[in-house]
Amino acid sequence: MEVFKLKNILAIHTGGTISMSQNENGEVVPNNENPIASQQVILKGKINLITDEMFNLPSPHVTPEVMFEIKKRIQKAEAEEKIDGVVITHGTDTLEETAYFLDLTLQNTIPVVLTGAMRSSNEVGSDGLYNFQSAIRVAADDQSYGKGVLVVMNDEIHTARYVTKTHTTNVATFRTPTFGPIGLLEKEQVIFFQSLINSEVCDVDHVEKGVYLLKAYAGMDGMQIDALNQESTKGLVIEGLGAGNLPPKTLPAVQRLLDNNIPIVMVSRCYNGIAQGIYDYEGGGIQLQKMGVTLCKGLNGQKARIKLLIGISAGKSGEDLKHFVSDAIS
Ligand code: ASP
């Protein structure tokens, strides 16, 4: 049995399908009033739920500036309000990016849990209220301290660092490739069975612009990379091939960006595994590393972009930035 003392949980609503409804034509549309925010059925007598309807955005409208505002709101809750845990409802499309942004920038004192829904509030089999309740249970659980920012969907607990959306519509969309979830929700209990070995925090007082993400493909040339060879470009993440390789025709453009001190970070476009310098052929990971490309261990492209953005926004450069961005696992 879960044992609760009355906990103050702050629910920050930001929008997404969890706050939307289906209209008479079957189209899923935003609401002026969030149907989740008015639900008080949850864990009566165990949770004092404080609601902040901070945003009402479909998550493709969420930007790093919005993530920064959420970070500041949580820091205020920790510093000035007696909050024991935070739940954030968010559209699922970019949920993993907001989760990782918060994971990287918040000192991990109180539990912070993100959740969303794949079916809007009035659809048959809507998962929003259930996921919201699950997220509150995890945020209120003493075991959730020190686990980093968490994502709770469909009875699973995932780390912000490695979780990703894997299916366009399935309720079991959130998965952690390579490592798996770190916990589960049973009917009565929250169970953790693994945790991250290390976490790293790098707070920022603003967010930079000009950090980009490209995906490599067979026969790719340097055109897109050269298009980013601009003064306003602060950094580039490339989802490379396999263990972290690029087609040879991209290399002159890669070199031109590096010569202009634009950091380039390589992850794999593979769904599982870790980018590493294995191949010593033209465009192979070993050669890319020798050129100055940073291989990032274990993050997907969108997370590596958030990490590069945070590192640059924190004023890191050169070897310091390389170490920060490459060192996701150790
Ligand atoms: N497109 C929606 C959003 O991210 C999907 C969702 O919420 O699940 O806002």
Side-chain angles (χ1 to χ4, degrees), residues 10-278:
L10 173 66
I12 301 175
H13 297 290
T14 70
T17 298
I18 192 165
S19 62
M20 298 183 194
S21 305
Q22 187 174 260
N23 66 19
E24 55 281 3
N25 301 322
E27 298 151 348
V28 177
V29 290
N31 287 305
N32 290 334
E33 283 187 17
N34 184 341
I36 290 287
S38 60
Q39 290 287 351
Q40 282 299 333
V41 294
I42 299 147
L43 305 169
K44 274 208 181 95
K46 297 170 180 168
I47 301 295
N48 177 30
L49 196 64
I50 300 126
T51 299
D52 185 340
E53 296 201 49
M54 205 176 165
F55 297 104
N56 189 10
L57 295 169
S59 76
H61 298 197
V62 169
T63 61
E65 288 76 17
V66 168
M67 299 173 196
F68 182 74
E69 290 305 314
I70 299 170
K71 174 195 86 88
K72 282 201 304 191
R73 178 67 188 91
I74 295 169
Q75 284 172 327
K76 180 169 172 281
E78 285 197 64
E80 297 168 20
E81 302 158 38
K82 288 199 165 84
I83 298 296
D84 298 304
V86 178
V87 169
I88 302 164
T89 65
H90 198 289
T92 57
D93 292 354
T94 63
L95 186 151
E96 65 193 85
E97 282 153 274
T98 298
Y100 190 50
F101 183 105
L102 299 174
D103 189 58
L104 278 174
T105 55
L106 286 171
Q107 282 295 347
N108 189 31
T109 49
I110 55 172
V112 176
V113 181
L114 282 89
T115 194
M118 298 304 289
R119 299 183 187 132
S120 67
S121 59
N122 60 347
E123 284 178 67
V124 175
S126 171
D127 52 336
L129 191 56
Y130 185 83
N131 285 337
F132 186 45
Q133 176 175 274
S134 300
I136 292 169
R137 286 176 60 197
V138 173
D141 196 296
D142 289 340
Q143 300 174 85
S144 303
Y145 283 82
K147 298 263 187 324
V149 172
L150 300 170
V151 173
V152 168
M153 296 277 293
N154 203 37
D155 280 338
E156 291 185 348
I157 309 168
H158 296 263
T159 64
R161 198 188 300 176
Y162 295 124
V163 72
T164 193
K165 185 175 181 179
T166 65
H167 195 288
T168 53
T169 53
N170 194 314
V171 294
T173 183
F174 279 89
R175 298 284 165 93
T176 299
T178 307
F179 309 109
I182 66 163
L184 297 172
L185 285 110
E186 280 190 342
K187 193 157 175 53
E188 300 289 342
Q189 265 186 308
V190 172
I191 300 174
F192 285 98
F193 45 82
Q194 56 177 330
S195 63
L196 292 173
I197 299 167
N198 288 319
S199 67
E200 46 194 349
V201 175
C202 177
D203 201 359
V204 288
D205 59 12
H206 72 290
V207 276
E208 292 283 343
K209 294 197 184 304
V211 179
Y212 297 97
L213 171 62
L214 292 177
K215 185 171 195 155
Y217 51 87
M220 188 184 193
D221 62 22
M223 195 165 166
Q224 288 168 285
I225 298 169
D226 269 331
L228 291 171
N229 198 358
Q230 313 278 344
E231 215 173 302
S232 56
T233 299
K234 300 276 169 39
L236 171 62
V237 175
I238 304 177
E239 285 185 15
L241 307 174
N245 310 304
L246 282 177
K249 281 193 178 149
T250 62
L251 299 182
V254 165
Q255 191 62 63
R256 282 190 280 276
L257 261 67
L258 293 170
D259 289 346
N260 281 340
N261 291 320
I262 298 171
I264 300 183
V265 176
M266 170 81 54
V267 297
S268 176
R269 72 175 192 175
C270 292
Y271 173 72
N272 272 297
I274 291 158
Q276 47 194 309
I278 295 178

